[in-house]
Structures are given as C-alpha cells and as structure tokens.
Amino acid sequence: MSEIKLSAQLRDVFGKGAARQARRDALTPGVIYGHGTAPKHVNVPAHALMMALKTPNALLSLDIAGDGTELVIPKAVQRHPLKRTISHVDFLIVQKGEKITVEVPVVTEGDLAAGGNLLETLLTTVAVEAEATHIPTEITVSIAGLEAGATVHASDLVLPAGTTLAVDGETAVLQVVAPQAEEPAAEAAEGTEA
C-alpha cells in the first residue's frame, strides 16, 4: 500500500469551540500519538482526509507545517451521527518495517452451490498482523460451490505474504446455511384454533 500524503497544521487551541471553528474552516481536528512521543494536536484538510480514509487502514504521510513529517495510520475515526462527516481522528505513528495489528475487510467472490442456500457472514473483518507499509486492503474468499453446512474458518483464509492471523484459526468467518422450510400461515392458524 502506498503512502497518501496530506498536509496538516499544529493546533494550540482546544475545546469544543476550537473544534467547531476548525470544522467551519473545512479542517478536521485530530491527535497524533505513539512510540512514546508526546501527543501532537493537528488540523487536517477535511475533504482530503475523507478521500484518503475511503481506503481501510490507509497509510498516511502527514506533512505537519513547521514540525516535519509523520507516518501514521488512522486508529479511531469519529463521525457526525447524521451527516456522517468526519469530526475527529486519532492517528497512530508507525515506522517502516514495524508489524502492527489491524482489522482487514473480508470480501467474497463466486456463487454458492445451487439449491437456494444462504451465506451467513459471521465476521466482516478479520484481525491480522502485517508490516505497517504493506497492509492488505482486503482478504478475498472464494465461496464458489460451497454446500449447506460448509464453514470458512480464519485458518482457511489466503493471506498475502508477510501477513499473519491475529485471531484464533478456528474462528468462523462465513458459513453456508440451508433455507428453512416455511409452514403455510393458514395451517399454523388452524392448528392453534382447535
């Protein structure tokens, strides 16, 4: 995964009023922490940040005006409950070569075997340990031809080189279930009246 370069500026005014003013100025407040350094409070251009965070576990290179560059990943993203705009981001400092644990989306491909079976998704993401600059964007699972009763465990996932599971291999990710037979509503109603 390549780095996404964003500009940022240090902020020295805190509180709700300062955060609201930053958002009115099309900036998103955030904090950078990790590796034993003192937290840095920053403002990042809101639109550029929103576009960068469309990629899960985006690797960001923040060019902080007057304070150098930090390589970070988003650790916690807070969104407005109605507008869904980003209201605050916690960034975690990472270093090249460092292994980190992240949640990666699980994506399915293919079609189930014929018969009206249903795919039940138990985990939409799976925790993996990967090198900070080589975080997979997704893990693809083929469900082609799976029959009712089949279960895909975390150990069955094909992971990119250098990536390892951070969950128990026996953890169920997906399972195929047979459709349930429906009783006609009329028969059920007659049975309760007698």
Side-chain angles (χ1 to χ4, degrees):
M1 174 185 305
S2 61
E3 300 171 18
I4 300 170
K5 298 186 184 309
L6 293 177
S7 62
Q9 46 190 249
L10 288 173
R11 60 185 168 104
D12 53 6
V13 182
F14 307 101
K16 286 183 182 177
R20 286 185 184 134
Q21 182 60 48
R23 290 185 202 106
R24 280 192 294 270
D25 294 339
L27 299 169
T28 300
V31 64
I32 302 171
Y33 60 89
H35 288 281
T37 61
K40 294 180 185 178
H41 299 275
V42 295
N43 284 328
V44 182
H47 182 72
L49 180 64
M50 179 197 66
M51 296 305 288
L53 295 184
K54 287 184 182 263
T55 303
N57 301 313
L59 183 63
L60 307 174
S61 176
L62 290 182
D63 183 15
I64 305 166
D67 197 47
T69 302
E70 292 284 2
L71 192 61
V72 299
I73 60 169
K75 189 67 176 170
V77 179
Q78 297 173 9
R79 295 185 182 274
H80 187 280
L82 299 176
K83 299 177 189 173
R84 304 304 299 156
T85 55
I86 300 170
S87 54
H88 189 274
V89 180
D90 288 357
F91 297 106
L92 179 64
I93 297 172
V94 295
Q95 295 173 344
K96 292 183 180 189
E98 173 186 16
K99 289 261 189 179
I100 57 173
T101 301
V102 292
E103 294 283 330
V104 178
V106 176
V107 177
T108 59
E109 67 179 8
D111 295 320
L112 295 174
N117 295 328
L118 304 171
L119 180 66
E120 184 177 6
T121 303
L122 304 173
L123 293 178
T124 56
T125 63
V126 67
V128 297
E129 187 176 82
E131 200 264 316
T133 57
H134 293 93
I135 300 170
T137 54
E138 62 186 29
I139 297 172
T140 304
V141 180
S142 175
I143 59 169
L146 292 181
E147 299 280 343
T151 302
V152 176
H153 294 94
S155 59
D156 300 328
L157 300 174
V158 179
L159 301 175
T163 303
T164 57
L165 282 176
V167 296
D168 182 22
E170 293 301 310
T171 304
V173 178
L174 305 166
Q175 67 183 11
V176 181
V177 294
Q180 295 184 354
E182 296 181 24
E183 293 182 24
E187 287 181 17
E190 288 175 11
T192 56
E193 290 175 7

